[in-house]
Amino acid sequence: MIKAQVYVFLLCTALIFSCNKEEEQKHKKPNILFILVDDLGYHDLSVTGSKFYETPNVDQLANQSVIFTQGYAASRVCSPSRASIMTGKFTARHGITDWIGAKTGTNWRSRKRYDKLLPANYVQNLPKDDITIAETLKSNGYKTFFAGKWHLGNKGSYPEDHGFEINKGGFHRGGPAGGFFSPWQNPKLENKQKGENLTIRLAKETANFIQQNKDSTFFAFLSFYAVHAPIQTTEVKWKKYRDKADSLGIAKSGYKMERVLPIRKVQDNSIYGGLVETMDDAVGIVLKTLKDNGLDKNTIVVFTSDNGGVASGDNFSTSNLPLRGGKGYQWEGGIREPFFIKVPWLKSKVTETNFPVIHTDFYPTFLDLAGIALKPKQHIDGISLKPILEGKEINTDRPLFWHYPHYGNQGGEPSSIIQQNGWKLIHYWEDNRLELFKLPSTEKDEQNVVAKHPKLAKQLHNKLMSWLHEVDAKFPEKDTEYDSIKDAKRDFNIINKKLKSLEKNRLEILSKDFKPNANWWKSKITKD
């Protein structure tokens, strides 16, 4: 009799504890997991149309999310976009308009580019005056964690200086110093095992943080160095994608000329394919940790990229077609991104929307979903996307702005952009010419329709110029030492030499006996 009473008592206690735990979860602020991939193009995922790359884990996440088909990076290159995510401000407003480390002014001449303009100066550390999303969440009881690429300033402007309590791997460098396999050269991430993959390590560090803080409320920011150059993978993954390219049929030509540089027109880079798949493997590790710890139902998950895929310059890694351009470019291929937001407790019927959104929207959206008072003076260029996530509409014709008074390493030109009501106007600073596109069709077809809509173009241009001056944007200046002969010679060499070398390299990578070095970028453990 006594045993039975004890059993009933324990059962009741367990039920009460379970009910209390469920009630506590209901009233607990949501956890937030932000996954940012470096240089991932819009079409670099199976779920967004790639027939070559395989990304089952990200695809599954996308299928559980609201997919924003017109999701935009705040810039065509990394540092400005990252600063906009952190601050909720457009790039011309916070002042970081190029990747930190890029040369400006007369120093640009050392690149021997012979361009017409000298790039504008820009802010080179995330401004201290801005209250980052991490700082706001931390002040509202969140445990904050950062892993991976930072590239928002030098010492004194690292993640731990802007609201993140833990920093694993974030410092001033924009690429994976030492490569993607240990030993790497990262003062914020110790080497533990030779040959360890950096992308997987960052995922494990994030998973460990989640495991250790499962009873708290957390903001985990997983910022992969992948798929940034140098592109590296294992021999096994290279072979998988090399064989896949072969089975799909290797195109005779992989490149064509864009305005300034050659650009990749096919997805068949087997090294890059392996790099993308490893990123997907890493995402799977973190998502599994959420589920295993019962956190998947109370964790907002975001997946996006900081700029378009690298189709020119760097390693000419991928193709963004049918979107034009890629990283560094002013067209859709440079700024359209995978943009997924999963809010598991919202039973919205919306699975996909073409409402234009941008990086600055994350800040107010997170606060709104967490029941934290918005900070409109801080995230001034963002809006909360909570209504859309709930299946409602947002009635706004707000303009989106981009400002890049620089030359891109990948072929992009100094230009500024306004996009509103389905129209996109680009102003080029070299000669003040304009391009006007009706999205999405005309840019895919490379049809500049400015001559057909001069009144609209003028209205948008006036609005763009007015906004740039309002936020005290910095502009490029004419280079008084510009040499048109040297400029033309450089263009000639690109057309006549670079194209041939790229095609040769592409076929070498796809050959059956390709071998980059003895240990496959340190992924194979060899005897010292």
Side-chain angles (χ1 to χ4, degrees):
M1 183 68 180
I2 293 175
K3 287 184 177 180
Q5 289 176 332
V6 171
Y7 175 77
V8 170
F9 172 78
L10 292 174
L11 180 61
C12 290
T13 302
L15 288 171
I16 292 170
F17 177 80
S18 177
C19 291
N20 287 341
K21 194 73 175 174
E22 288 183 14
E23 194 64 26
E24 180 185 326
Q25 287 293 325
K26 285 181 183 178
H27 295 286
K28 178 187 173 188
K29 286 187 175 69
N31 302 309
I32 302 170
L33 170 63
F34 195 113
I35 303 173
L36 180 64
V37 188
D38 195 14
D39 291 355
L40 186 77
Y42 182 82
H43 293 296
D44 282 353
L45 304 169
S46 310
V47 71
T48 53
S50 177
K51 304 298 182 186
F52 188 61
Y53 312 127
E54 297 177 18
T55 54
N57 293 301
V58 176
D59 295 349
Q60 183 179 23
L61 173 62
N63 292 330
Q64 298 168 345
S65 305
V66 174
I67 298 174
F68 293 84
T69 59
Q70 287 196 60
Y72 288 96
S75 176
R76 64 185 84 170
V77 294
C78 56
S79 298
S81 286
R82 292 162 185 271
S84 291
I85 291 171
M86 292 294 166
T87 65
K89 294 180 178 179
F90 288 146
T91 60
R93 196 186 297 275
H94 59 61
I96 301 176
T97 52
D98 205 355
W99 59 273
I100 294 176
K103 295 182 182 298
T104 64
T106 55
N107 290 330
W108 181 248
R109 294 176 186 146
S110 66
R111 297 289 306 275
K112 297 185 177 180
R113 285 276 305 260
Y114 313 113
D115 294 306
K116 294 179 181 179
L117 301 176
L118 296 174
N121 290 323
Y122 60 91
V123 175
Q124 301 212 14
N125 288 287
L126 190 62
K128 290 273 189 183
D129 291 342
D130 280 301
I131 303 170
T132 68
I133 180 60
E135 288 171 318
T136 295
L137 292 174
K138 181 182 176 183
S139 67
N140 281 273
Y142 277 76
K143 298 287 186 182
T144 55
F145 169 90
F146 186 90
K149 174 173 173 172
W150 179 244
H151 205 187
L152 286 174
N154 216 315
K155 288 183 179 179
S157 189
Y158 282 172
E160 56 267 38
D161 302 305
H162 293 281
F164 290 99
E165 296 167 283
I166 300 172
N167 170 25
K168 296 289 185 178
F171 68 128
H172 71 277
R173 289 286 294 269
F180 280 101
F181 298 96
S182 182
W184 43 70
Q185 298 159 17
N186 188 319
K188 295 292 184 177
L189 192 69
E190 63 179 318
N191 288 282
K192 290 184 176 180
Q193 179 183 351
K194 283 187 176 181
E196 183 180 16
N197 183 278
L198 176 61
T199 306
I200 299 299
R201 170 67 176 280
L202 293 173
K204 289 181 176 178
E205 292 285 356
T206 306
N208 288 340
F209 168 80
I210 291 171
Q211 173 72 38
Q212 292 167 9
N213 292 275
K214 61 184 178 181
D215 296 324
S216 302
T217 305
F218 59 79
F219 173 48
F221 199 115
L222 174 54
S223 176
F224 290 118
Y225 281 97
V227 289
H228 191 283
I231 55 168
Q232 299 172 345
T233 191
T234 62
E235 183 176 14
V236 171
K237 277 187 164 52
W238 163 81
K239 185 178 186 305
K240 171 183 175 178
Y241 286 95
R242 187 266 155 211
D243 292 346
K244 186 171 185 178
D246 197 23
S247 67
L248 292 172
I250 297 174
K252 291 182 179 180
S253 171
Y255 300 90
K256 66 177 182 178
M257 275 300 300
E258 243 309 339
R259 278 189 192 156
V260 180
L261 285 175
I263 194 165
R264 197 176 189 100
K265 61 182 183 179
V266 292
Q267 290 186 345
D268 64 0
N269 188 323
S270 48
I271 303 172
Y272 187 73
L275 185 58
V276 170
E277 186 179 291
T278 299
M279 176 276 297
D280 184 78
D281 293 339
V283 170
I285 289 171
V286 182
L287 295 182
K288 184 177 184 299
T289 300
L290 287 178
K291 188 172 183 179
D292 288 350
N293 287 278
L295 300 170
D296 53 320
K297 292 181 175 59
N298 193 45
T299 301
I300 300 164
V301 183
V302 165
F303 181 94
T304 192
S305 175
D306 59 352
N307 49 248
V310 184
S312 286
D314 299 351
N315 280 279
F316 296 82
S317 309
T318 191
S319 170
N320 299 293
L321 291 174
L323 300 181
R324 186 179 181 186
K327 178 183 179 180
Y329 281 97
Q330 55 274 10
W331 302 301
E332 291 288 278
I335 54 177
R336 275 269 294 282
E337 306 304 327
F339 202 111
F340 314 142
I341 303 179
K342 177 186 175 184
V343 186
W345 63 89
L346 291 181
K347 305 300 181 183
S348 171
K349 293 181 180 179
V350 176
T351 57
E352 188 173 292
T353 175
N354 62 2
F355 181 83
V357 295
I358 194 165
H359 281 159
T360 54
D361 296 333
F362 288 124
Y363 198 142
T365 300
F366 292 158
L367 298 188
D368 208 1
L369 289 170
I372 299 171
L374 299 186
K375 303 173 78 70
K377 291 184 179 179
Q378 174 58 55
H379 48 72
I380 188 170
D381 296 314
I383 61 172
S384 172
L385 303 178
K386 184 181 177 183
I388 293 177
L389 297 168
E390 293 176 330
K392 303 171 186 175
E393 292 185 359
I394 296 178
N395 295 316
T396 177
D397 60 351
R398 64 163 177 167
L400 303 180
F401 295 101
W402 292 264
H403 182 55
Y404 190 72
H406 314 281
Y407 289 97
N409 296 339
Q410 301 80 19
E413 301 161 76
S415 52
S416 299
I417 304 168
I418 180 174
Q419 183 172 316
Q420 189 174 30
N421 294 328
W423 291 95
K424 176 178 175 181
L425 181 97
I426 305 175
H427 172 96
Y428 289 88
W429 292 104
E430 276 194 349
D431 53 11
N432 295 318
R433 74 186 187 279
L434 302 176
E435 288 181 344
L436 180 67
F437 300 100
K438 176 62 177 174
L439 298 176
S441 60
T442 58
E443 187 166 313
K444 291 180 181 179
D445 302 330
E446 301 182 20
Q447 295 178 16
N448 175 15
V449 296
V450 69
K452 294 181 180 180
H453 304 278
K455 186 176 180 180
L456 174 62
K458 184 177 180 180
Q459 290 173 346
L460 289 172
H461 186 252
N462 287 342
K463 189 175 290 188
L464 173 61
M465 292 299 112
S466 176
W467 184 83
L468 289 172
H469 285 95
E470 176 189 324
V471 298
D472 195 26
K474 303 298 182 289
F475 303 105
E477 298 178 356
K478 287 186 178 181
D479 188 352
T480 56
E481 296 182 16
Y482 170 66
D483 190 324
S484 60
I485 296 175
K486 289 181 178 179
D487 192 11
K489 184 177 180 181
R490 179 176 179 271
D491 291 344
F492 177 85
N493 288 334
I494 288 172
I495 295 171
N496 290 277
K497 295 180 180 180
K498 188 64 175 179
L499 265 175
K500 291 180 181 179
S501 67
L502 285 169
E503 293 290 4
K504 180 182 178 182
N505 179 254
R506 169 177 166 263
L507 294 178
E508 286 174 351
I509 290 172
L510 289 168
S511 66
K512 292 183 178 179
D513 58 353
F514 172 74
K515 189 175 183 179
N517 57 8
N519 61 11
W520 279 80
W521 299 294
K522 300 178 292 189
S523 66
K524 280 187 172 182
I525 307 300
T526 57
K527 292 183 179 180
D528 292 329

